Amino acid sequence: MSETPEAESEMIHDELWAALSQVDDPEMPLSIVDLGMVADVRVEPVRAGDDALGVAEVVAAARPDAARVVVDVTPTFVGCPALLVIEEAIVRRLRALPGVGTVRVNFVYEPAWSVDRISDTGRAALKAKGITVPGRGAAASGAPPPFVPLTIGERGAAAGDVTGAAVGGRANDDADGGARDAAAPVVIACPWCASADTQLESTFGPTRCKMIYYCRACKNSFEHMKRV
Amino acid sequence: MNDLPADLKTPLAELLLALADDKLILGHRNSDWTGLAPILEEDIAFSALAQDEIGHANAIYQLVAPWRNTSADKLAFARPPADFRCAAVVELADEFDYGFAIARQLLCDHFDLLRLARLARSSYAPVAQLAARMHAEERNHVSHADEWVMRLGHGGRESRARVQAALDKLAPHAASLFEPMEGQERLESAGIYPALGAGGGGVSAAAAAGGAGAAPDSRELPTDMFDAWRTAVQRVLADAGLRATFERPPAGFVGGRRGAHTPEFAPLRSEMTEVAAADPEALW
């Protein structure tokens, strides 16, 4: 049974996406597809004599079955240091597929990555590792970044060791949706014990896309994806 | 718009290099705090700020490099000092005074947020797309600076005195951020560097500066960039019980935007480029 060219190209397309689903972000427990980093995958014909071809592509063009695969990747953070590792991993994984000649990775900012792009599978994988994710629509809500409730003061100035006027203003509002009042405190439930008694410790976490929270109930810290 | 009018390429390159150079040098200064910040969270914060700023600079250099027939690495590490376009305020050494480091972040992060808001509405799509993404990240820098200025201002006598002294030292240099650049008016009238509040979507200056204030504030910011910046910064300083006076650059001011740098810049640059200069052709 022979396949039509359209069916064949769809099959290649599915295989490419399946292969990309096996490429993990080196700093996150999920694939770049579930993280929402892959914006587009397409196959371009390779023609010998094309001026834009690099050495590897010229070699590939000598193979009649070789396809040039282009992957558009939208970075989570512009300065993410894992981008080069991810690029190499994509190239290595896709080149292992039969029929793939060369692979080019473009970093694009349109569509822009946001936390809303994380898939349901990705959200479940993150939760299993104790990383919480703001609800869908959170990135578009435009609410200000959350406020860290830390204060400083002079030693021995009052009953406690640390006094200092409360640094006023904002509630701890990593808002979980655009519809909500941005000023209302939004509770980030602890992924370990589900307690609502949690507190933001630092807006800068182990990677650029995460913040650190502390659960006062079970006394564990956990990571929360930024609402960016 | 994906194609840039040829006569606007040079002024846009100057504007983008000012943005990238501010970020590279500020990021380099931020990285000094890795391992040395007063608390662990700030050690991580300043390391993350450095990573963001240098990452942003790299992305902008990638955009400009082909126009100059060079590479991002060469723009960062192989330009003579006079070709850098950074402002004096990012060049000053903080002498490991955390109050100074935070006061500088306040001035620079608010400026960058407004500059990126303008560029995010650029009619030139590659700049608009990148700037929109950087703007979303910059909001976190601004809230970090606002929080710490308030914390230091309302903290103990020493923290208040040190952050006030830093502001006194930094305030006269803030004008360096606003030095007009060659061809800037042409970029503005072409919509490549639209004014605050101008351009598509009816985005207000206040919305463009989203997250700038420590408390949500719906009051409009002025559409003039210096006025908008001063208003946003003064709101934070007023909440923190601190004082500073800011002026526009005087007529005829020539500074970093045209290659005239502070005495602190040359030693900073030689240290920053030391490894790259040891083997300029090395691959990283």
Side-chain angles (χ1 to χ4, degrees):
Chain A
M1 224 167 76
S2 71
E3 291 168 22
T4 63
E6 290 77 20
E8 192 184 20
S9 116
E10 199 165 296
M11 191 188 72
I12 290 171
H13 203 252
D14 290 348
E15 278 175 25
L16 291 171
W17 277 98
L20 287 170
S21 297
Q22 292 165 1
V23 175
D24 282 354
D25 181 312
E27 296 183 325
M28 301 282 275
L30 78 172
S31 80
I32 56 170
V33 172
D34 283 321
L35 189 51
M37 288 182 74
V38 181
D40 191 33
V41 185
R42 54 192 180 275
V43 178
E44 292 179 352
V46 180
R47 292 180 302 276
D50 185 337
D51 282 349
L53 297 185
V55 174
E57 288 168 314
V58 170
V59 172
R63 283 164 47 196
D65 61 337
R68 171 161 58 179
V69 177
V70 180
V71 186
D72 287 345
V73 172
T74 182
T76 53
F77 271 68
V78 175
C80 177
L83 293 179
L84 291 179
V85 178
I86 291 170
E87 178 177 2
E88 282 172 16
I90 291 172
V91 172
R92 205 177 318 119
R93 183 64 194 85
L94 296 189
R95 288 209 65 187
L97 292 175
V100 173
T102 62
V103 178
R104 195 176 72 230
V105 176
N106 290 329
F107 291 108
V108 299
Y109 298 100
E110 177 60 45
W113 183 86
S114 89
V115 76
D116 292 341
R117 291 180 61 93
I118 301 176
S119 72
D120 289 338
T121 312
R123 282 161 195 262
L126 287 166
K127 196 175 179 203
K129 295 281 181 184
I131 302 170
T132 54
V133 182
R136 290 196 195 282
S141 71
F147 176 73
V148 185
L150 170 72
T151 60
I152 57 169
E154 281 167 12
R155 259 170 213 284
D161 206 27
V162 175
T163 60
V167 180
R170 214 149 63 221
N172 187 3
D173 63 347
D174 189 40
D176 259 7
R180 244 180 255 217
D181 178 2
V186 171
V187 169
I188 309 296
C190 172
W192 306 118
C193 74
S195 167
D197 191 12
T198 63
Q199 174 182 313
L200 177 62
E201 289 281 290
S202 174
T203 48
F204 295 91
T207 68
R208 296 301 304 109
C209 52
K210 288 176 280 185
M211 304 184 283
I212 303 172
Y213 276 77
Y214 178 73
C215 175
R216 282 182 288 247
C218 72
K219 308 206 184 316
N220 279 301
S221 58
F222 62 93
E223 296 165 21
H224 182 66
M225 297 285 292
K226 278 184 187 165
R227 185 176 35 73
V228 165
Chain B
M1 178 176 75
N2 278 299
D3 294 312
L4 194 62
D7 62 318
L8 293 179
K9 205 168 258 189
T10 302
L12 183 58
E14 290 283 308
L15 184 76
L16 292 176
L17 285 177
L19 171 65
D21 292 348
D22 279 354
K23 284 179 169 293
L24 177 69
I25 303 304
L26 186 61
H28 185 74
R29 288 294 191 207
N30 290 159
S31 73
D32 284 342
W33 288 96
T34 299
L36 296 168
I39 59 172
L40 178 62
E41 285 79 1
E42 282 308 283
D43 205 305
I44 297 167
F46 268 83
S47 306
L49 292 170
Q51 191 182 318
D52 275 353
E53 298 296 12
I54 294 167
H56 290 182
N58 178 44
I60 303 158
Y61 290 142
Q62 305 272 4
L63 206 59
V64 177
W67 306 346
R68 297 257 169 133
N69 198 20
T70 183
S71 68
D73 279 349
K74 287 209 157 48
L75 283 173
F77 298 121
R79 261 183 304 163
D83 287 359
F84 277 81
R85 295 289 172 260
C86 43
V89 71
V90 299
E91 297 170 9
L92 303 173
D94 57 33
E95 312 288 356
F96 290 104
D97 181 323
Y98 181 72
F100 187 99
I102 286 294
R104 189 215 314 262
Q105 291 305 121
L106 180 76
L107 309 186
C108 295
D109 290 342
H110 277 275
F111 178 81
D112 248 352
L113 193 71
L114 293 168
R115 174 163 54 178
L116 291 170
R118 294 178 65 177
L119 288 169
R121 297 204 307 283
S122 175
S123 57
Y124 181 51
V127 165
Q129 290 164 5
L130 177 59
R133 194 63 209 136
M134 295 192 295
H135 182 264
E137 298 178 16
E138 197 68 33
R139 291 178 60 192
N140 289 288
H141 300 191
V142 166
S143 61
H144 169 257
D146 288 358
E147 282 176 11
W148 274 99
V149 165
M150 287 203 290
R151 210 167 270 142
L152 296 176
H154 288 294
R157 251 185 305 266
E158 186 184 352
S159 74
R160 189 161 51 247
R162 279 170 67 171
V163 73
Q164 182 61 59
L167 281 165
D168 295 346
K169 198 171 161 193
L170 279 159
H173 293 285
S176 65
L177 291 165
F178 294 90
E179 180 184 357
M181 305 195 62
E182 190 77 32
Q184 189 173 315
E185 301 84 0
R186 283 190 288 143
L187 294 172
E188 288 168 352
S189 56
I192 289 171
Y193 188 41
L196 283 174
V203 182
S204 72
D217 194 336
S218 56
R219 284 174 292 170
E220 279 289 310
L221 285 174
T223 50
D224 173 79
M225 176 129 159
F226 178 79
D227 288 339
W229 173 84
R230 183 167 56 184
T231 303
V233 168
Q234 291 290 19
R235 263 178 215 169
V236 181
L237 293 180
D239 286 349
L242 299 165
R243 279 179 311 279
T245 307
F246 301 108
E247 304 289 348
R248 291 168 197 271
F253 177 84
V254 176
R257 304 291 189 228
R258 277 170 281 192
H261 296 288
T262 60
E264 278 135 307
F265 181 66
L268 176 151
R269 184 189 156 279
S270 358
E271 185 195 68
M272 184 179 77
T273 58
E274 197 176 358
V275 175
D279 186 355
E281 300 308 317
L283 293 174
W284 300 89

